[in-house]
Amino acid sequence: MSDWPLWEVFVRGKRGLNHTHAGSLHAPDAQMALRNARDLYTRRGEGVSIWVVPAAAITASSPDERDSFFDPAGDKVYRHPTFYDVPEDVEYL
Amino acid sequence: MYGNDFSTEPSEPLNAAETGGVEQAMAHEDRRAQLLSEAEVADRQEQFDALIAADQRIEPRDWMPEAYRKTLVRQIAQHAHSEIIGMQPEGNWITRAPSLRRKAILIAKVQDEAGHGLYLYSAAETLGAGRDELLDALHSGKQKYSTIFNYPTLTWADVGAIGWLVDGAAIMNQVPLCRCSYGPYARAMIRVCKEESFHQRQGFEILWALSRGTSEQKAMAQDAANRWWWPALMMFGPPDAESSHSEQSMAWGIKRFSNDELRQRFVDMTVPQAQKLGLTLPDPDLRYDEESAHWRFGEIDWSEFKRVLSGDGPCNAQRIAHRRKAHEDGAWVREAASAYAAKQAKRTAQAREEAVA
């Protein structure tokens, strides 16, 4: 089984929600991965739709570079609405 | 930012969904669809109607009526176009922002507009529309964007007025879209709306500063409000009686409130804010109606709206020319990215071969 590829499983909890990562599993092909994912991750009706993606197809950011990778957003506090000085008694701002 | 004010009467194919591009992209889906018997189509239509009736979301792999798909592609594409064209009027002031703080904020805002365009183009792609076809439709004028962006930004105060009035109107339009019946569009709008609130507040803050400044600064803020007020009201689109596609969009759960309803809400929200800023809105008929608890406003000049929509606004030609040039000037960047990816792929393959050997 260890030579079967690893699949990452994404489950949509209900209509209108994003697919979110649920976990992973091994399977020899995509169809079997899908069926196994159903049995493994949605035994109690946790989902209405499943995606399986070969883990090898995922490119991830590196934990070592986490700080420098996300750093550019760190000092841009003005991207948040709370940064602005507006009078408190103005409604709907 | 976004209005509901683009053309809704297509006389020619408006987008990929109408030119055959979608059919191509969706070939495998279509082949399945073509195999459906009439009874099966009726069955799926029933399921679709039941989902809509139960206020459930439609997701990309669900069967949907072709007209629903086309309407969404058109609306989402024109919304996306509005976001990226909307970068221009504000981008015009980045190099002339009055302080480093204001410049950093304005850059962040224009970046957000680009991001909003990208969320929306990718939502349109879930319906089978191709990114390149959508951009072509924008560049050739087959698809529109909000008419509001065909007005110029003459002074720094216009950046404030856009944030306060134009983004304020856009939020009013966009919040109900977070509950739109098409899942990917609704989810894109949730992201967009979260980010818009900084846009509106920074605009108000600019005008708040100017309106407490020198008499010249106050006059500049007033002048901007004078020029942007009526176009902002037009962002909600034609009056309900003349809004041809509204009824069907409401029935499909794409639209939740009528143009006139949203416009009235915007006026009710904005008039007290203008009072706080000490600005006069350029409407002699504006008055509070105690009985209905609404602010009543004067007649909108729809002939101006139609003129700008049809291409005869102050900046229509400039906006499209600039957009086309940016796209053409960016060609080498796209080519370089592809060349780099190809080179990396080749090196990886070589390294693998060497490792095997």
Side-chain angles (χ1 to χ4, degrees), chain A residues 12 14-18 78-87 89-93, chain B residues 51 56-57 59 62 101 104-105 111 187 197-198 200-202 204-205 208 269 273 276:
Chain A
R12 185 200 297 289
K14 59 177 193 178
R15 279 176 181 278
L17 299 182
N18 285 305
Y78 45 83
R79 283 178 176 158
H80 298 276
T82 44
F83 177 75
Y84 296 90
D85 283 328
V86 297
D89 56 345
V90 179
E91 282 192 294
Y92 308 112
L93 266 186
Chain B
L51 285 172
Q56 293 283 304
R57 300 289 170 269
E59 296 293 349
D62 291 333
R101 178 183 187 271
I105 292 167
Q111 277 181 324
R187 292 191 287 274
S197 73
F198 123 54
Q200 191 196 13
R201 284 172 71 95
Q202 66 85 33
F204 190 91
E205 194 198 58
W208 180 241
M269 175 187 88
Q273 295 175 351
K276 188 80 193 175

Side-chain angles (χ1 to χ4, degrees), chain B residues 289-331:
Chain B
D289 177 26
E290 294 278 356
E291 209 169 299
S292 65
H294 285 302
W295 283 91
R296 295 299 173 203
F297 51 96
E299 195 68 32
I300 293 172
D301 179 4
W302 292 109
S303 65
E304 175 185 326
F305 172 73
K306 284 177 188 144
R307 198 167 49 74
V308 180
L309 183 65
S310 67
D312 194 18
C315 300
N316 298 55
Q318 182 191 333
R319 298 291 183 239
I320 285 295
H322 186 89
R323 173 63 218 150
R324 278 199 201 129
K325 185 170 184 302
H327 190 71
E328 285 157 16
D329 289 352

Side-chain angles (χ1 to χ4, degrees), chain B residues 120-171:
Chain B
L120 287 158
Y121 283 121
S122 71
E125 284 174 310
T126 66
L127 292 158
R131 181 84 52 117
D132 292 344
E133 289 162 83
L134 297 178
L135 286 175
D136 284 348
L138 169 63
H139 297 159
S140 66
K142 278 185 190 165
Q143 285 182 341
K144 306 280 188 194
Y145 52 87
S146 288
T147 56
I148 192 80
F149 305 119
N150 292 317
Y151 291 88
T153 41
L154 303 178
T155 72
W156 171 252
D158 288 19
V159 176
I162 288 181
W164 174 46
L165 294 175
V166 177
D167 289 312
I171 290 169

Side-chain angles (χ1 to χ4, degrees), chain A residues 9-61:
Chain A
V9 179
F10 297 82
V11 175
R12 185 200 297 289
K14 59 177 193 178
R15 279 176 181 278
L17 299 182
N18 285 305
H19 286 80
T20 50
H21 188 239
S24 56
L25 50 76
H26 286 276
D29 71 12
Q31 282 308 318
M32 270 190 261
L34 202 53
R35 284 165 197 224
N36 293 353
R38 174 199 58 191
D39 295 343
L40 188 55
Y41 291 105
T42 60
R43 286 195 306 281
R44 289 172 183 78
E46 289 92 336
V48 295
S49 169
I50 297 176
W51 289 344
V52 289
V53 180
I58 292 177
T59 305
S61 58

